[in-house]
Amino acid sequence: MAKKSHSIVSELRSMDLNLLVALRALLDERNVSRAAEKSGLSQPGMSRALQRLRSMFNDPLLVKSEQGGYEPTPRAEAIDFALRQVLFDIQNIIAPPTFDPALAKGDFRILALDYELVVLLPKIVSRVRNEAPGLNVWTIAPKMMNTQEGIDFSPLIKGDIHLILSAFTYTHSGIYRQKLMEETNVCISSVNHPDAGSHPFPLEKLVSLDHLWVDIIGPDPGAIDETLAMCGLSREIKLSVPSFLLAGYTVATTDLIAIMPRRVMQPFEDAGLISIMEPPIELPVFTIYQYWHERYNKDPLHVWFRKLVLDVARTFN
């Protein structure tokens, strides 16, 4: 089988496949001049192409008819349909693929922390259910890294996932990144907290009360505490939890306060569980990105899904 395949490839290398386009024109027009015009060739050029085709097929292919012009030989008639199909298939291979989300099937895998999932996923899934009901969406928790990248991006490089949604910045050859939206930090407390509803939250309370913190990548609280330190301030962290959802529920039922991203806490305030308050100092703003590998950059399904995610993110801006 391998030898036969090698033989076919060798034969194709020795052929000028452009001659098949000329043959298609000749069979359609049965006239050298009209076939030349249709193919963008000169008449002498088409005549030379016909001679080469006759040599390739070891057959006259077209012979002069009594009515003028040419008529196909039995060999030409035998290959007519196959030639039309081959050229049609080649055109489909080369042409940009069309994509209809309503017909999409399969799985689309997203890696993200609970912030991105809580804020973006419900609207993403709603759109997918309406526009691509045959598509399955799988969300995967990232492996955390005590590095600048924060999360392990290797599943994206390996092709195990299709998309990463993250506030962590990452650069790597073959990885694309697109900004989705910016997020601000706010102060939160239980609705029963004595300072609930204060706008802005009192600065003296911000640094004197006990805090909860979401521990994602390690013991360093990062940008918020760096900002406080620049103002000569610090906070006392009494509890760390591994997710924003747990943070919201814990603050709602304790006297702890926290500095958290606004949008992920909004459902808790809407449910009457916590109070969201503006901070007394300017706190860092962070950006959410979507990342993908170059292997999917022009894939029609992936292009459609990325645009959907971007559209959803823009509804928050």
Side-chain angles (χ1 to χ4, degrees), residues 186-243:
V186 293
C187 300
I188 66 168
S189 74
S190 163
V191 291
N192 298 316
H193 194 282
D195 296 296
S198 301
H199 290 284
F201 193 80
L203 180 59
E204 67 275 11
K205 296 294 183 68
L206 182 69
V207 297
S208 64
L209 295 175
D210 293 336
H211 282 247
L212 173 149
W213 169 56
V214 176
D215 181 356
I216 296 178
I217 62 172
D220 180 12
I224 290 175
D225 288 87
E226 290 174 3
T227 301
L228 291 174
M230 290 174 61
C231 299
L233 304 171
S234 63
R235 59 176 174 168
E236 185 76 17
I237 294 175
K238 290 295 186 179
L239 175 67
S240 69
V241 295
S243 77

Side-chain angles (χ1 to χ4, degrees), residues 235-296:
R235 59 176 174 168
E236 185 76 17
I237 294 175
K238 290 295 186 179
L239 175 67
S240 69
V241 295
S243 77
F244 292 102
L245 285 178
L246 185 55
Y249 281 114
T250 303
V251 167
T253 56
T254 67
D255 63 347
L256 295 171
I257 66 168
I259 298 174
M260 290 287 141
R262 180 187 302 272
R263 293 188 183 98
V264 77
M265 291 296 120
Q266 193 62 55
F268 291 96
E269 184 179 59
D270 294 342
L273 298 175
I274 66 168
S275 177
I276 292 178
M277 295 155 286
E278 298 302 321
I281 59 173
E282 186 174 347
L283 294 175
V285 173
F286 62 93
T287 302
I288 304 299
Y289 302 95
Q290 60 176 341
Y291 293 86
W292 67 94
H293 194 273
E294 62 183 352
R295 69 170 63 85
Y296 295 120

Side-chain angles (χ1 to χ4, degrees), residues 87-109:
L87 293 177
F88 178 78
D89 290 343
I90 290 174
Q91 185 178 19
N92 284 340
I93 291 172
I94 297 173
T98 58
F99 175 72
D100 182 354
L103 303 178
K105 302 286 185 183
D107 300 333
F108 198 94
R109 298 179 294 278

Side-chain angles (χ1 to χ4, degrees), residues 42-80:
S42 65
Q43 183 172 342
M46 182 58 77
S47 294
R48 288 193 295 270
L50 178 56
Q51 292 303 316
R52 293 177 64 189
L53 284 163
R54 285 168 170 167
S55 176
M56 180 189 295
F57 287 94
N58 192 28
D59 187 90
L61 296 175
L62 293 165
V63 296
K64 288 186 177 181
S65 68
E66 295 180 357
Q67 293 77 25
Y70 289 85
E71 62 182 19
T73 65
R75 175 80 167 114
E77 289 180 337
I79 65 174
D80 186 295

Side-chain angles (χ1 to χ4, degrees), residues 1-15:
M1 181 64 71
K3 290 184 178 179
K4 184 177 181 180
S5 175
H6 178 73
S7 175
I8 292 173
V9 171
S10 299
E11 290 179 12
L12 287 174
R13 285 176 179 169
S14 66
M15 296 178 183

Side-chain angles (χ1 to χ4, degrees), residues 19-30:
L19 291 174
L20 298 181
V21 178
L23 177 57
R24 180 70 270 153
L26 287 165
L27 291 174
D28 287 343
E29 301 298 332
R30 302 189 183 188

